[in-house]
Amino acid sequence: MSEDNRSAASQAADSHDLIRVQGARENNLKDVTVELPKRRLTVFTGVSGSGKSSLVFSTIAAESQRLINETYSAFIQGFMPTLARPEVDVLDGLTTAIIVDQERMAANPRSTVGTATDANAMLRILFSRLGKPHIGSPQAYSFNVASISGAGAVTIERGGTTTKERRSFSITGGMCPRCEGTGRVTDIDLTALYDDSKSLNEGAITVPGYSMDGWYGRIYRGSGFFDADKPIRKYTKKELHDLLHKEPTKIKVDGINLTYAGLIPQIQKSFLSKDVEAMQPHIRTFVERAVTFTTCPDCGGTRLSEAARSSKIKGVNIADACAMQISDLAEWVRGLREPSVAPLLASLQHTLDSFVEIGLGYLSLDRPSGTLSGGEAQRTKMIRHLGSSLTDVTYVFDEPTIGLHPHDIQQMNRLLLRLRDKGNTVLVVEHKPETIAIADHVVDLGPGAGTAGGTVCFEGTVEGLRASGTLTGRHLDDRATLKKSVRTPTGQLPIRKASTHNLRDVDVDIPLGVLVVVTGVAGSGKSSLVHGSIPPGAGVVSIDQGAIRGSRRSNPATYTGLLDPIRKAFAKANGVKPALFSANSEGACPNCNGAGVIYTDLAMMAGVATVCEECEGKRFQASVLEYRFGGRDIAEVLAMPVSEAEEFFGSGEARTPAAHRILNRLAEVGLGYLSLGQPLTTLSGGERQRLKLATHMAEQSGVYVLDEPTTGLHLADVEHLLGLLDRLVDSGKSVIVIEHHQAVMAHADWIIDLGPGAGHDGGRVVFEGTPADLVAARSTLTGEHLAAYVGD
């Protein structure tokens, strides 16, 4: 190869130093065209709902993943999630994308930090090799594997003859048999199930859905196990046992074969096997009242069998190791010198050190993964990428600073820069000015949210953004000022001897009738204090960022209950029944069943979603769309953004006070740009929390607890949020906010600062008082950062 050819080839390769996007139209993007430099840190900014995630996650990262999946055989692709090609004309220069998003980890009761990060798998192997006494394979240390054994005859066909052989097998697992590896046992309060002064026919059973007129009534009254006219307190021991505990039994009632089961097995099957959060509100209230979860007395909450706990290394069993703070566990592993398992120790050491480096050293491996905040879950997912030898990879982050104290953000910035300096492309969706400031390249989307966004307002350097005059540029250097005067509390909510997680017998009085901000570094005990220690019955509404469970058929109108008054108004105006105006009920287009699109499954290739030809994506039957209310049909109403619908239902012939009240609350929390029929699955974490807040604002509760409400909020919207919090407090409510954003701290009437560090270095109240006192004292990390922020 001649010198000229070699240089031409190298120049051709070097020309691919940009990721080119042309004509991106995913969600609300309007033919967006951008060029992103490779091996640089690019930050995407813009108001919530402006199209940042649509560009980064739904377009660039989605196409990269789809192209990688296509390199596998059709057989393997059949087992992988199928991805459709994003709506975009050209995507050029893509590299392998690794997505680190803020989706909460599965809230499966069996999932812990250790099982979610491979650390437990390595610990189990370590104990199966070094633990004394030796009790078996790594499975013997797993709380998800039950011990089972069996024996019997098996039939084997060999060479045309059939022979029977006796076989036996046994599996030694580490699961505690009493609690089945969950660490908790349930206890049911019988007084919440029935009123013993009444008979069944008088409605003694108080479980939701168990009325005597319905299906269960038919089974219980027709079972013949007890007299339905006798008060329960007069039942014999056998009758009471049959009512409460009888195992599933086949019975015949009025000639129909049915299965009878006692109340308690029935409740365990229908309620306790489900996620409490996913239940309807009235059922959740019943479960919280009737069922108490207590630590398993056999395993002490460790989830492990006695045999698994008896095997130790240097006096420590696997339950002790998982309960240690990860930073302490890393030190313990460092002290193990055993050449026979050296590679395993090195790998485990690296994983544990990564936890510490990323600022999660305060967690323990036995912490249930469902209790991690969005930011903690995202940083846990980052662990496997730290120290990776891969280069020229695209890392995609979704607000990596969520849940981080200003002190911890500097550490996160260093990690992002380290990934870039190894030759990787780092794309970050972010609102915090501290992270925007370290960008090599900035893409600002907007100018508004929803249909008012989806265009590139600015592309260039951070300095250029400051001078650009865009909404983000104007607010980049915003600094809140301390309030001149603070409100006077109207009462107190006392918390005594709080010891949840890492709290050290904390005594604190939370003032009521004011805006209280609870702050402190990540892992200092804020959530444990507010969510875990406020006494039940204090009338507290807690609003977190957990996912809203709903299919693509769920939307803001169905979630908030807004659709009910709208359906009734349409039905009344047209003299028909309300069910016609539901795309999930009688009004649904028969061709697409009210989905608006028809899905064609193409096995290992991406399924194709085509707009339904009959209803043209409107989801309703043509006959339903002839009914009008205020000059609009139901499909047009659901396509309206909240702000337009608020006007529509607020006055004129379409005036509907019940609908207007809900829309007013949605606009108040800054969701005026959402359309009423937008699927819930497309909402960001911050939008979900604000949707929950809007729904809860109708409740007659006196105390609101918000968990980082600034998540996903643009700098300009934080001001709007502070106005909303002020309105809540001025209307007589008490608002407690867990928050790291300095603008919210500066706006508080009272600050409770926890620390001084994370994990066992935290769990104490290090400051209580007004923001001005905190800044003046500068005695804590929060005080120092708040003083720097307000320019004091």
Side-chain angles (χ1 to χ4, degrees), residues 10 18 26 53 187 214 216 239 247 256 274 294 333 339 411 504-505 573 649 699 729:
S10 65
L18 289 173
E26 272 297 307
S53 296
D187 202 10
Y216 285 114
E239 285 175 327
E247 290 301 308
I256 302 167
K274 297 189 176 81
T294 51
V333 171
Q411 197 175 2
R504 312 271 187 92
D505 285 339
F649 288 107
E699 294 178 18
V729 175

Side-chain angles (χ1 to χ4, degrees), residues 68 78 91 104 110 115 135 226 340 519 584 611 712 730 761:
I68 290 166
L91 262 176
R104 293 286 176 108
R110 299 190 172 281
T115 59
I135 59 162
F226 29 70
S340 63
T519 183
N584 298 329
V611 175
D730 293 339
D761 299 325

Side-chain angles (χ1 to χ4, degrees), residues 727-746:
R727 284 198 297 281
L728 278 173
V729 175
D730 293 339
S731 69
K733 310 274 192 238
S734 301
V735 180
I736 303 166
V737 183
I738 299 172
E739 190 52 85
H740 292 294
H741 201 296
Q742 294 101 321
V744 182
M745 293 181 206

Side-chain angles (χ1 to χ4, degrees), residues 332-597:
W332 180 76
V333 171
R334 200 171 276 117
L336 297 177
R337 299 263 185 271
E338 192 61 51
S340 63
V341 290
L344 176 67
L345 285 171
S347 183
L348 179 57
Q349 189 68 60
H350 172 70
T351 301
L352 298 174
D353 286 343
S354 298
F355 268 105
V356 176
E357 187 180 359
I358 211 161
L360 294 177
Y362 59 86
L363 295 177
S364 60
L365 294 181
D366 62 3
R367 169 94 173 256
S369 56
T371 64
L372 297 183
S373 68
E376 285 171 335
Q378 185 170 1
R379 300 203 297 287
T380 303
K381 291 175 196 168
M382 271 181 81
I383 282 163
R384 61 184 65 239
H385 307 303
L386 291 180
S388 164
S389 305
L390 289 172
T391 62
D392 259 335
V393 171
T394 302
Y395 285 97
V396 188
F397 291 98
D398 190 3
E399 292 187 56
T401 58
I402 284 179
L404 287 184
H405 188 268
H407 171 72
D408 301 315
I409 290 176
Q410 298 161 353
Q411 197 175 2
M412 178 57 73
N413 283 351
R414 283 199 295 274
L415 288 169
L416 294 173
L417 292 171
R418 205 172 89 193
L419 286 171
R420 177 203 67 184
D421 293 345
K422 280 176 63 178
N424 297 306
T425 307
V426 182
L427 308 180
V428 183
V429 172
E430 191 51 88
H431 291 292
K432 292 269 172 70
E434 297 98 318
T435 300
I436 297 171
I438 64 164
D440 302 310
H441 189 74
V442 180
V443 177
D444 188 32
L445 288 149
T451 49
T455 58
V456 175
C457 300
F458 172 81
E459 205 183 339
T461 62
V462 179
E463 288 311 311
L465 176 67
R466 275 200 174 92
S468 66
T470 65
L471 190 64
T472 309
R474 289 201 304 275
H475 286 276
L476 198 57
D477 294 317
D478 273 8
R479 291 294 178 265
T481 52
L482 293 170
K483 273 160 71 168
K484 294 274 188 294
S485 62
V486 293
R487 300 179 182 92
T488 310
T490 55
Q492 285 182 338
L493 182 63
I495 291 177
R496 294 289 173 265
K497 295 275 179 277
S499 55
T500 312
H501 296 315
N502 65 331
L503 295 177
R504 312 271 187 92
D505 285 339
V506 170
D507 290 343
V508 67
D509 292 316
I510 300 177
L512 297 177
V514 296
L515 176 59
V516 177
V517 171
V518 180
T519 183
V521 295
S524 58
K526 304 179 298 299
S527 298
S528 304
L529 180 70
V530 177
H531 295 306
S533 308
I534 286 181
V540 174
V541 169
S542 190
I543 302 152
D544 61 12
Q545 298 167 31
I548 291 171
R549 286 169 182 81
S551 66
R552 55 175 171 255
R553 288 176 176 275
S554 309
N555 52 47
T558 58
Y559 182 78
T560 56
L562 169 67
L563 206 52
D564 288 340
I566 292 178
R567 280 200 296 252
K568 283 174 186 158
F570 265 92
K572 193 175 173 190
N574 294 284
V576 290
K577 54 183 177 179
L580 280 177
F581 302 99
S582 168
N584 298 329
S585 185
E586 290 181 32
C589 161
N591 192 39
C592 62
N593 290 330
V597 288

Side-chain angles (χ1 to χ4, degrees), residues 699-712:
E699 294 178 18
Q700 295 307 306
S701 168
V703 183
Y704 286 93
V705 173
L706 304 181
D707 195 347
E708 291 184 56
T710 58
T711 299

